[in-house]
Amino acid sequence: MRDGAGNTVLVASNPIGSFTVDVENQTALTVSDLTPDSNDPAIGEAGLSLRQAIRHANATDNDIDTIILDGSSFLLDIAEADEDAAFTGDLDITANLTIIGSGSAPSVIDAGTLDRVFDVHPGVTLTLENVTITGGLTGDTVHGGGIRNQGTLTLVRSTVDDNTAGGDGGGIWNTGQLTLLQSTISSNSATGNGGGLLNTVDDVVDEIVN
């Protein structure tokens, strides 16, 4: 499915944990081999988990611009932190991406305390619209309980709630560019500084609705 500008749009299905991989060899699914025009059923509008869709977007160098969430709740359940390709733990963003909750209520992305929810890598852009980020938990001295942003992050009509960091930034740890539009950061905590938000730079557009 493509939008009016010709960009590819994938619809991610619940549950996120439906995608399992061989963590050691990382060969259970080669996401870069899946193309939007493929007849593979994994590319069907209801065939991708959120983790699969993100890995596919990361691997195709921005060919996929938008992921639309189909379903109200997505639970991360593939454990093991400190991995940077979205195979396990948090959802690593290494290519420009927009994720949109399509329901009347925000779609929930819940880390289930196995890791943070999102890790936005340097030099890339992530936009989250109509989603709730919750259940993130990082270990001792590790920053960004809900989201660690080292790139460009925009939240639109979204909520970061009930996340915990063992370091700084319970809700969001930001060392990049952060824009919050009609969004809420609430009920997060950190062992270090910034229970809701720890910002290490001055570039924040602050339009938070609490």
Side-chain angles (χ1 to χ4, degrees), residues 80-194:
E80 188 174 331
D82 302 322
E83 180 275 330
D84 290 327
F87 280 90
T88 65
D90 58 19
L91 300 172
D92 297 283
I93 307 299
T94 61
N96 298 340
L97 183 62
T98 296
I99 299 175
I100 301 174
S102 61
S104 57
S107 296
V108 177
I109 306 175
D110 186 347
T113 70
L114 60 81
D115 198 352
R116 70 171 62 85
V117 183
F118 284 105
D119 190 359
V120 184
H121 288 229
V124 300
T125 296
L126 173 64
T127 298
L128 299 173
E129 181 175 341
N130 199 36
V131 300
T132 294
I133 304 302
T134 191
L137 176 67
T138 60
D140 292 346
T141 73
V142 179
H143 305 320
I147 304 173
R148 178 170 64 179
N149 177 48
Q150 301 175 82
T152 299
L153 173 65
T154 300
L155 271 62
V156 182
R157 294 185 298 278
S158 294
T159 299
V160 180
D161 178 75
D162 195 21
N163 301 280
T164 302
D168 298 334
I172 301 174
W173 182 78
N174 177 55
T175 188
Q177 179 175 316
L178 173 62
T179 303
L180 303 169
L181 302 174
Q182 300 178 27
S183 294
T184 300
I185 300 176
S186 62
S187 301
N188 302 281
S189 61
T191 301
N193 298 312

Side-chain angles (χ1 to χ4, degrees), residues 19 22 39 93 153 191 193 197 199:
F19 179 40
D22 180 336
N39 292 321
I93 307 299
L153 173 65
T191 301
N193 298 312
L197 167 66
N199 182 50

